[in-house]
Amino acid sequence: MIRKKISAAPSVRRLPSYLNIIRELQTGGNEYVSGTVIAQELKLDPIQVRKDLALTGITGKPKKGYRLPALITAIERYLGWDTPRNAVLVGAGNLGSALMGYAAFNCHGLTIQAAFDINPHLAGTEIHGIRVFPAGSMEAQIRESGTKIAILTVSPASAQAAADALVHAGIDGIWNFTTVKLKVPEDVVVQQEDLSSGLAMLSVMLRAKTRETGKPPA
Amino acid sequence: MIRKKISAAPSVRRLPSYLNIIRELQTGGNEYVSGTVIAQELKLDPIQVRKDLALTGITGKPKKGYRLPALITAIERYLGWDTPRNAVLVGAGNLGSALMGYAAFNCHGLTIQAAFDINPHLAGTEIHGIRVFPAGSMEAQIRESGTKIAILTVSPASAQAAADALVHAGIDGIWNFTTVKLKVPEDVVVQQEDLSSGLAMLSVMLRAKTRETGKPPA
């Protein structure tokens, strides 16, 4: 996996939230934004924000900050979201279906072309306008279309076999929503998505709050 | 928000992935695990793993590492996942429905008691066994049940109003899956969940890979 080589991971993860703020400010008619304002909005350290934005190669003007359209372009270009990319989705269950309906991906240049599922009743249906195909046709279709990104939302028991098939079909990057730590060749990128991480943060923050206020947990 | 006070945030976010690995090892019949093995499995620095685990108050034995049942208990207790907690879900659309069917939450002590939606056609239905109620009854029901945690999966346009109502009803913590930066009183915890962060990481890793191998982006 290449993950370990991305040393700026926390910065990269913050960039989309900057984009949200910046787009809101642009809609509000603003022309410039300072790192301090972004930091205030997101309760971050201004130095950290400026460091994160420097990743994209942009520099702000003293006292004025960053020009909004230039800043949006710089972040989108850094993230590669200015380039349309295709993806397939594997596992059209609850979470898979939800992701197929997640319009924000389109704003980030990502189009889910096709979904695959082992459930024969799902094959041939459309979910949020995306066609579901039988799992058996997956490798051939990925090879034919040349798609390089896969979103993995199968059950844990099917995860490694699905990943093997994806790698075999030529996929370069897997966005893994299963809890399984996938074994893939060195040159395949895996982004592990774990909803439990957010729940862990929420739990610990609530406990810290209880400790502060002396209120018992609900 | 209390978020800024959790200085160990990246460590807290990693703990659930440790739990997954440790549970797998336990199922495999292991009695002990070392920080080095966990680090290898997750491609992390062993020193970081030991530091993260130290948060929970557990100490390993020299050469042997951590006893598995004790380690699981320590992490779960630190995260508060050994204590059952109730939550409500607001916005039973695509993502909301998917989260209602996400069985892992139950393993983490979180039970979604009820869902609320502004769509009158959804009220009275059940999604994955969870009853959906009209949004109008939300405040009264939360107050009556004493629920302190809310999962927010409404549209961006409804997010702040929903958050206001939740705070008014006595909610302590909001798990925010919308892209809106919520304005809440100081003593309410907000955990912001942004699927775009994962996509940002995947995009940047794929670009790094393309640069390394000299292959053009697909």
Side-chain angles (χ1 to χ4, degrees):
Chain A
M1 288 206 296
I2 306 192
R3 167 113 203 205
K4 53 190 164 177
K5 291 175 193 158
I6 307 293
S7 56
S11 303
V12 171
R13 294 189 72 94
R14 278 190 291 267
L15 289 175
S17 62
Y18 297 171
L19 263 186
N20 288 337
I21 299 282
I22 297 160
R23 286 217 183 92
E24 268 176 41
L25 289 167
Q26 194 179 37
T27 308
N30 293 272
E31 203 185 338
Y32 283 87
V33 64
S34 68
T36 312
V37 166
I38 297 175
Q40 273 166 356
E41 286 286 313
L42 295 170
K43 318 249 178 201
L44 293 169
D45 176 5
I47 296 169
Q48 184 66 63
V49 171
R50 278 188 284 269
K51 214 175 122 189
D52 292 349
L53 292 176
L55 269 183
T56 69
I58 202 167
T59 46
K61 281 191 188 177
K63 288 186 187 162
K64 285 189 135 177
Y66 307 89
R67 270 204 67 226
L68 289 181
L71 187 52
I72 292 173
T73 306
I75 297 175
E76 288 189 331
R77 186 171 301 157
Y78 178 76
L79 296 176
W81 289 358
D82 55 345
T83 315
R85 277 175 173 256
N86 288 325
V88 295
L89 183 136
V90 189
N94 292 327
L95 185 59
S97 304
L99 294 179
M100 286 156 87
Y102 196 63
F105 292 157
N106 289 319
C107 305
H108 304 332
L110 192 76
T111 303
I112 302 177
Q113 286 177 300
F116 299 93
D117 203 284
I118 47 167
N119 181 348
H121 298 299
L122 281 177
T125 64
E126 280 196 4
I127 299 175
H128 302 297
I130 298 165
R131 189 75 177 270
V132 184
F133 296 93
S137 71
M138 186 174 80
E139 285 198 43
Q141 270 190 259
I142 291 174
R143 236 182 252 113
E144 201 180 323
S145 63
T147 308
K148 296 296 177 195
I149 298 176
I151 303 171
L152 192 62
T153 45
V154 297
S155 67
S158 312
Q160 185 59 53
D164 291 344
L166 289 168
V167 168
H168 200 238
I171 286 288
D172 272 345
I174 299 176
W175 197 2
N176 181 20
F177 283 83
T178 80
T179 53
V180 177
K181 199 193 62 65
L182 301 173
K183 288 173 182 47
V184 296
E186 277 289 321
D187 61 341
V188 173
V189 161
V190 176
Q191 168 62 20
Q192 180 74 39
E193 212 58 46
D194 188 356
L195 289 177
S196 303
S197 285
L199 183 57
M201 277 302 295
L202 183 68
S203 308
V204 170
M205 286 192 289
L206 280 169
R207 214 202 24 212
K209 170 189 156 80
T210 310
R211 207 184 286 144
E212 265 171 35
T213 59
K215 279 198 293 182
Chain B
M1 289 205 297
I2 306 193
R3 168 111 203 206
K4 54 189 164 177
K5 291 173 194 160
I6 308 292
S7 54
S11 302
V12 171
R13 294 189 72 93
R14 277 188 292 266
L15 289 175
S17 62
Y18 297 171
L19 263 187
N20 289 335
I21 297 282
I22 297 161
R23 287 217 182 91
E24 269 175 42
L25 288 168
Q26 195 178 37
T27 308
N30 293 271
E31 204 184 336
Y32 283 87
V33 65
S34 67
T36 312
V37 166
I38 297 175
Q40 274 167 356
E41 286 287 311
L42 295 169
K43 318 250 176 198
L44 293 168
D45 176 5
I47 298 169
Q48 184 66 63
V49 171
R50 279 188 283 268
K51 212 174 125 191
D52 291 349
L53 292 176
L55 270 183
T56 69
I58 202 168
T59 46
K61 283 191 186 175
K63 289 188 186 159
K64 284 189 134 178
Y66 307 89
R67 269 204 67 226
L68 289 180
L71 187 53
I72 292 172
T73 305
I75 297 175
E76 288 189 331
R77 187 171 299 157
Y78 178 77
L79 295 176
W81 289 358
D82 56 343
T83 315
R85 277 174 173 257
N86 289 323
V88 295
L89 183 136
V90 190
N94 293 327
L95 186 60
S97 304
L99 293 180
M100 286 156 87
Y102 196 62
F105 291 156
N106 290 320
C107 304
H108 305 332
L110 193 77
T111 303
I112 302 177
Q113 289 176 297
F116 299 93
D117 203 283
I118 47 168
N119 181 347
H121 297 299
L122 280 177
T125 64
E126 280 197 2
I127 299 176
H128 303 296
I130 298 164
R131 190 75 178 271
V132 184
F133 296 92
S137 71
M138 185 174 80
E139 285 198 43
Q141 269 191 258
I142 291 174
R143 237 182 250 114
E144 201 181 321
S145 63
T147 308
K148 295 297 176 195
I149 299 175
I151 302 171
L152 192 62
T153 44
V154 298
S155 67
S158 312
Q160 184 60 52
D164 292 344
L166 289 168
V167 168
H168 200 239
I171 286 288
D172 272 346
I174 299 175
W175 197 1
N176 181 20
F177 282 84
T178 79
T179 53
V180 176
K181 199 193 60 66
L182 301 174
K183 287 173 182 50
V184 297
E186 278 288 321
D187 61 341
V188 174
V189 161
V190 176
Q191 168 61 21
Q192 180 75 39
E193 212 59 45
D194 188 356
L195 289 177
S196 303
S197 285
L199 183 58
M201 277 301 296
L202 183 69
S203 308
V204 170
M205 286 192 290
L206 281 169
R207 214 200 27 209
K209 171 189 155 80
T210 309
R211 208 185 284 146
E212 265 169 38
T213 59
K215 280 198 295 181

